[in-house]
């Protein structure tokens, strides 16, 4: 009997120890890091400390270089895990954001609203006057700031190109009834300039750029307002957004607007917020197309990812579930494109290989 009891005791202890051994590792409690606003100091984190695969790094970097990349950064919890430059680029070189910079305008619009300067539900003409389009007044007055944020102004999106003078802003549909990617969003910069009684760039600099330590400047090319900066400044903006608009304890953008901006904003293109693209939805539209395509924009990418996407593959990927920000700047990976390309999906296969 003694031997039986002893055997059962040993078995019980073995089972207990085994169950303890298979307990999941608790999630990291590492705090989010923010680099100083001034200077070049930025904490790093090694691939090994994350438990990622060092053998997957070089294939990723080789692919980036092959695909005409210039700058690439991965942040985890705000710390730099990878920072690489290619094809003559460097950490101090500026590059254009293209349409990825639309998200800067979205963010500044939210800041202007929280300061009481504008209301996104008000008509655009309340701020910049009537006659900013060639539409009949009744149709023009249907267009709100929110319609510009969500690409649902109803204005003609192809025939007149990127032009935003009144003669080029012609009627296609009533505001709110049609999603179409269009440069008319830039009128939000005029709205903010009028409401703040200063230039859009001055307002941007004081309310966002200097507060998070970005460099860079706005410039006009054709009908487009474009931002250019170093790769690290793009990463700073991504870090702000993964922290829901807060920079350490400073609320730059309130969380309510952040949540609206980074979730489906209308029922036509489920993969679009306020000038942000959204992954993991059941369908999406592409620029210059009215086709509704099934599935996620980037099938290999995380479902909770939201993205700033610009011409020639300028990218900010923000992944809340992984506390990760990924930045890519450079020339077009393959051929000239407006925002989305097959490059995204292959790139995410390479990134996934780091930790899967």
């Amino acid at each position: 009997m003694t031997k039986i009891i002893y055997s059962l005791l040993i078995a019980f202890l073995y089972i207990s120890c085994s169950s303890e051994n298979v307990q999941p590792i608790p999630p990291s409690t590492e705090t989010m890091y923010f680099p100083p606003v001034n200077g070049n100091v930025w904490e790093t984190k090694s691939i090994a400390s994350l438990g990622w695969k060092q053998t997957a790094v070089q294939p990723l970097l080789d692919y980036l270089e092959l695909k005409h990349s210039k700058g690439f950064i991965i942040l985890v919890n705000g710390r730099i895990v990878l920072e690489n430059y290619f094809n003559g680029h460097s950490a101090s070189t500026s590059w254009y954001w293209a349409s990825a910079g639309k998200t800067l305008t979205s963010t500044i619009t939210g800041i202007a609203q929280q300061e009481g300067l504008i209301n996104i539900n008000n008509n655009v003409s309340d701020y910049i006057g009537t006659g900013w389009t060639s539409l009949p007044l009744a149709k023009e007055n249907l267009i709100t700031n929110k319609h510009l944020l969500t690409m649902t102004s109803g204005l003609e999106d192809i025939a007149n190109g990127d032009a935003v003078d009144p003669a080029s802003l012609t009627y296609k549909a009533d505001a709110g009834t049609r999603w179409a990617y269009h440069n008319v969003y830039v009128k939000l910069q005029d709205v903010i300039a009028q409401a703040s009684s200063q230039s859009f760039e001055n307002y941007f600099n004081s309310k966002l750029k200097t507060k998070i330590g970005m460099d860079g400047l706005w410039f006009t090319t054709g009908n487009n307002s474009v931002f250019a900066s170093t790769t690290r400044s793009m990463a700073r903006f991504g870090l702000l957004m993964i922290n829901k608009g807060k920079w350490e304890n400073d609320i730059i953008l309130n969380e309510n607007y952040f949540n609206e901006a980074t979730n489906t904003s209308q029922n036509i293109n489920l993969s679009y917020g306020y000038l942000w693209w959204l992954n993991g939805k059941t369908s999406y539209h592409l620029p210059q197309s009215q086709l509704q395509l099934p599935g996620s924009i980037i099938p290999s990418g995380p479902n909770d990812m939201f993205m700033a996407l610009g011409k020639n593959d300028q990218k900010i990927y923000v992944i809340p579930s992984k506390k990760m920000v990924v930045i890519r700047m450079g020339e077009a990976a393959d051929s000239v494109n407006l925002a989305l390309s097959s490059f995204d999906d292959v790139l995410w296969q390479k990134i996934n290989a780091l930790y899967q």
Side-chain angles (χ1 to χ4, degrees):
M1 179 64 71
T2 302
K3 289 183 178 180
I4 294 173
I5 293 173
Y6 181 78
S7 298
L8 289 174
L9 180 60
I10 293 297
F12 175 77
L13 289 172
Y14 176 79
I15 292 169
S16 298
C17 290
S18 298
S19 64
E20 285 177 5
N21 289 338
V22 299
Q23 289 300 309
I25 297 171
S28 171
T29 56
E30 182 182 52
T31 58
M32 189 73 72
Y33 167 79
F34 296 87
V37 170
N38 298 309
N40 296 316
V41 174
W42 200 316
E43 284 187 12
T44 61
K45 195 169 182 66
S46 70
I47 292 287
S49 70
L50 289 166
W52 290 7
K53 301 171 185 174
Q54 187 66 48
T55 55
V57 173
Q58 197 57 50
L60 168 62
L61 300 183
D62 289 345
Y63 180 72
L64 287 162
E65 185 166 22
L66 176 68
K67 292 298 183 177
H68 318 297
S69 302
K70 290 187 175 292
F72 183 77
I73 292 176
I74 293 180
L75 304 180
V76 174
N77 270 322
R79 293 163 181 85
I80 293 174
V81 177
L82 288 178
E83 181 178 22
N84 300 89
Y85 299 97
F86 315 88
N87 300 308
H89 206 71
S90 72
S92 60
T93 311
S94 287
W95 192 252
Y96 64 89
W97 290 33
S99 286
K102 286 180 170 67
T103 56
L104 295 172
T105 297
S106 170
T107 301
I108 287 295
T109 301
I111 292 171
Q113 177 169 261
Q114 73 195 31
E115 291 195 331
L117 297 178
I118 68 168
N119 186 317
I120 64 170
N121 294 307
N122 288 352
N123 295 341
V124 175
S125 55
D126 290 349
Y127 302 92
I128 61 174
T130 58
W132 63 277
T133 72
S134 63
L135 276 59
L137 184 60
K139 296 297 185 183
E140 183 179 279
N141 281 339
L142 294 176
I143 304 173
T144 65
N145 296 318
K146 189 173 181 178
H147 289 130
L148 299 186
L149 284 169
T150 59
M151 295 291 183
T152 56
S153 67
L155 295 166
E156 168 60 48
D157 57 302
I158 295 177
N160 301 316
D162 286 337
V164 291
D165 59 288
S168 300
L169 297 178
T170 57
Y171 181 85
K172 188 76 173 182
D174 281 2
T177 66
R178 182 175 184 270
W179 187 91
Y181 196 78
H182 194 285
N183 192 46
V184 72
Y185 87 95
V186 77
K187 287 294 179 181
L188 287 166
Q189 297 184 3
D190 296 338
V191 167
I192 291 164
Q194 288 294 322
S196 65
S197 300
Q198 58 186 296
S199 71
F200 172 78
E201 183 162 15
N202 284 347
Y203 187 76
F204 168 84
N205 289 346
S206 64
K207 301 299 179 179
L208 179 57
K209 177 183 166 182
T210 59
K211 287 193 173 184
I212 66 172
M214 293 175 69
D215 56 45
L217 53 82
W218 291 90
F219 65 96
T220 300
T221 174
N223 298 295
N224 298 296
S225 179
V226 180
F227 190 70
S229 78
T230 59
T231 311
R232 279 194 174 193
S233 280
M234 191 181 249
R236 282 177 179 268
F237 178 62
L239 177 55
L240 174 72
M241 299 312 290
I242 202 168
N243 208 44
K244 300 182 178 181
K246 288 177 66 179
W247 190 265
E248 292 187 296
N249 296 316
D250 188 7
I251 298 174
I252 308 295
L253 177 70
N254 72 72
E255 193 169 332
N256 286 339
Y257 182 91
F258 165 84
N259 288 332
E260 292 176 12
T262 56
N263 282 284
T264 300
S265 59
Q266 27 61 53
N267 59 11
I268 306 169
N269 183 359
L270 303 183
S271 297
Y272 209 70
Y274 292 172
L275 306 178
W276 285 95
W277 292 91
L278 315 174
N279 208 43
K281 305 303 178 183
T282 56
S283 63
Y284 63 96
H285 287 241
L286 292 173
Q288 297 187 339
S289 172
Q290 290 299 301
L291 290 176
Q292 179 173 289
L293 301 172
S296 180
I297 294 175
I298 306 176
S300 63
N303 283 337
D304 66 328
M305 179 167 68
F306 58 95
M307 306 162 285
L309 304 176
K311 182 180 179 180
N312 297 337
D313 295 305
Q314 318 312 320
K315 315 285 186 184
I316 305 175
Y317 305 107
V318 182
I319 309 95
S321 61
K322 299 182 182 302
K323 299 182 180 178
M324 186 162 72
V325 174
V326 180
I327 305 297
R328 188 271 184 187
M329 285 179 153
E331 304 281 5
D334 293 301
S335 57
V336 173
N337 58 78
L338 288 174
L340 298 164
S341 72
S342 60
F343 170 71
D344 294 84
D345 200 52
V346 178
L347 176 61
W348 268 98
Q349 292 173 32
K350 303 286 187 184
I351 295 170
N352 288 338
L354 292 171
Y355 48 77
Q356 288 184 351

